[in-house]
Amino acid sequence: KALGFFDDVGLDVTLQKQNSWATLRDKLHAGILDAAQMLAPMPIASTLGLGCRARKIVTPFVLSLNGNAITLSDALYL
């Protein structure tokens, strides 16, 4: 948002940090949130009704490989 990516495509976005994955899921289901970044299995679990009432969730794209990353400390990198 700070870099203007949303403005470039005409979106008015308010970013909100959530307390837990369950809170995020519940607010998304209730319509309090229009969109969310969540763990990869969560839309599938929501659609199947695992841990909650079944709700249809649309997943347009994935931004990563489920959060997998290789990270190095500065000391090791240098």
Side-chain angles (χ1 to χ4, degrees):
K1 182 173 181 168
L3 297 175
F5 295 131
F6 297 124
D7 293 334
D8 289 348
V9 292
L11 293 175
D12 179 21
V13 174
T14 302
L15 300 175
Q16 298 177 346
K17 181 179 174 182
Q18 301 303 311
N19 294 328
S20 69
W21 292 113
T23 300
L24 174 78
R25 178 202 62 214
D26 294 346
K27 286 185 176 181
L28 188 64
H29 287 194
I32 296 169
L33 299 175
D34 296 319
Q37 182 276 326
M38 57 177 43
L39 298 170
M42 290 182 71
I44 297 167
S46 289
T47 302
L48 295 173
L50 302 176
C52 63
R53 221 171 111 199
R55 296 289 298 233
K56 184 177 179 182
I57 301 290
V58 177
T59 306
F61 57 90
V62 175
L63 297 175
S64 69
L65 296 174
N66 300 322
N68 297 329
I70 298 172
T71 57
L72 302 173
S73 68
D74 286 339
L76 186 57
Y77 176 73
L78 302 174

